[in-house]
Amino acid sequence: MPDEGVAIEVLYEHPVTLPRIVSVVLPGGFSPDHIPASTANLLREDAGIIQVYLDLPGANGQPSTPGEMDHYGEQSRRAVAAALRYAAGEISDDAGLSLVERIEASSAPPLVLVGRSNGGNLATATLADSNLNLPPVDGLVLWETPAGPQFILTELTDEQASYIGVDKQ
């Protein structure tokens, strides 16, 4: 996508028959490299799901998303925001086509952000970032996202942890 410089891969069954949903998928792990999409990460194309995958800044692939790996920080959130805008039909790809034009739809299908494992943390942080120009997102799916009160201070097995309200006897 020339305006945002984000490397993406779109997977869908052709020809596209409606109704469909568009999902921007953020796989788990810590790597910025997500395309080409692994078969282990694929959703069911025949279930009407158009899948948008992206490489985060610092990825090694070609094409690649510019920037440095920021461990799902501000640059990564901006890349996800650009992928969401593309998925919503707001910006065009290198061929000058929006996703809505590419799938020959009359309007953008419902947009869902999918976060697996650490991708769920990035999805949540992106949606919470008020500085991003996000399109309306119709749904959020989180799968095994490591978020919760047990992750606030440290891993549970860390011997250097501060034990708050816990008797260490």
Side-chain angles (χ1 to χ4, degrees), residues 83-126:
L84 287 167
R85 287 193 297 277
Y86 176 73
E90 294 181 0
I91 59 177
S92 300
D93 58 27
D94 287 341
L97 298 173
S98 72
L99 183 61
V100 173
E101 294 167 326
R102 188 166 290 286
I103 64 172
E104 300 175 353
S106 59
S107 62
L111 178 58
V112 176
L113 184 56
V114 178
R116 295 183 172 143
S117 189
N118 288 324
N121 291 333
L122 177 57
T124 304
T126 300

Side-chain angles (χ1 to χ4, degrees), residues 2-155:
D3 295 333
E4 303 294 334
V6 177
I8 64 167
E9 177 180 19
V10 180
L11 305 174
Y12 60 95
E13 189 176 52
H14 191 77
V16 173
T17 57
L18 299 177
R20 296 284 180 161
I21 65 167
V22 177
S23 62
V24 173
V25 183
L26 307 176
F30 295 102
S31 172
D33 296 287
H34 299 297
I35 58 174
S38 159
T39 55
N41 283 326
L42 299 182
L43 302 172
R44 298 232 1 220
E45 292 177 25
D46 63 346
I49 301 171
I50 299 166
Q51 302 163 72
V52 178
Y53 288 84
L54 68 143
D55 271 352
L56 298 173
N60 295 314
Q62 289 298 325
S64 64
T65 300
E68 295 181 22
M69 171 60 164
D70 65 353
H71 302 283
Y72 293 9
E74 182 181 357
Q75 290 183 52
S76 295
R77 292 191 307 273
R78 286 183 183 178
V80 174
L84 287 167
R85 287 193 297 277
Y86 176 73
E90 294 181 0
I91 59 177
S92 300
D93 58 27
D94 287 341
L97 298 173
S98 72
L99 183 61
V100 173
E101 294 167 326
R102 188 166 290 286
I103 64 172
E104 300 175 353
S106 59
S107 62
L111 178 58
V112 176
L113 184 56
V114 178
R116 295 183 172 143
S117 189
N118 288 324
N121 291 333
L122 177 57
T124 304
T126 300
L127 292 176
D129 190 335
S130 61
N131 294 318
L132 299 174
N133 180 22
L134 297 177
V137 175
D138 299 297
L140 172 65
V141 177
L142 302 178
W143 179 258
E144 294 183 345
T145 297
Q150 71 273 25
F151 294 101
I152 290 174
L153 297 176
T154 185
E155 293 289 335

